[in-house]
Amino acid sequence: MVGTNLTDLTLKKKKFMVDPSNIAQVSSSCIQLLSVLSAEPLCRAPVLILFNKRDMPCTMSLTELKSLLRMDDIIAFASQPITSLELSARTGQGLQEVLTWLENIAVK
């Protein structure tokens, strides 16, 4: 999967997951992310970008991923608030931070 994006329009939020274990597809994830961020129904929706599979030894560093995806530029020019978090769905690392983000967004 290039970039799994799960949309919940009822809560008007967006979650976008990047799989850094497949380096060849990270740039495709960037293109997909840009099209998601420019979608009219989500132009003001808070966005959570999840860097998944952080438990795998062959993944890129978070700094490398953010640089490749040009996260600083994306955040600077996006019309919506963007948060990025690291996650390992397998080990649960970072899961509490994701749940806290979801809870905070649901309250707003």
Side-chain angles (χ1 to χ4, degrees), residues 66-85:
K66 287 184 172 185
S67 175
L68 186 60
L69 290 172
R70 301 189 58 155
M71 288 303 300
D72 291 339
D73 292 335
I74 289 172
I75 290 170
F77 294 103
S79 62
Q80 60 274 84
I82 297 175
T83 303
S84 64
L85 297 172

Side-chain angles (χ1 to χ4, degrees), residues 56-97:
M56 296 186 67
C58 62
T59 60
M60 301 171 74
S61 73
L62 187 59
T63 302
E64 291 172 317
L65 272 171
K66 287 184 172 185
S67 175
L68 186 60
L69 290 172
R70 301 189 58 155
M71 288 303 300
D72 291 339
D73 292 335
I74 289 172
I75 290 170
F77 294 103
S79 62
Q80 60 274 84
I82 297 175
T83 303
S84 64
L85 297 172
E86 291 182 89
L87 175 71
S88 168
R90 195 184 91 193
T91 68
Q93 171 197 353
L95 183 58
Q96 188 56 52
E97 291 85 355

Side-chain angles (χ1 to χ4, degrees), residues 94-107:
L95 183 58
Q96 188 56 52
E97 291 85 355
V98 172
L99 294 174
T100 299
W101 184 88
L102 290 169
E103 182 179 275
N104 289 340
I105 294 303
V107 171

Side-chain angles (χ1 to χ4, degrees), residues 23 26 32 37-38 42 50-51 65 67 70 74 96:
I23 296 170
V26 171
Q32 189 177 16
L37 293 175
S38 64
L42 299 170
L50 295 173
F51 295 101
L65 272 171
S67 175
R70 301 189 58 155
I74 289 172
Q96 188 56 52

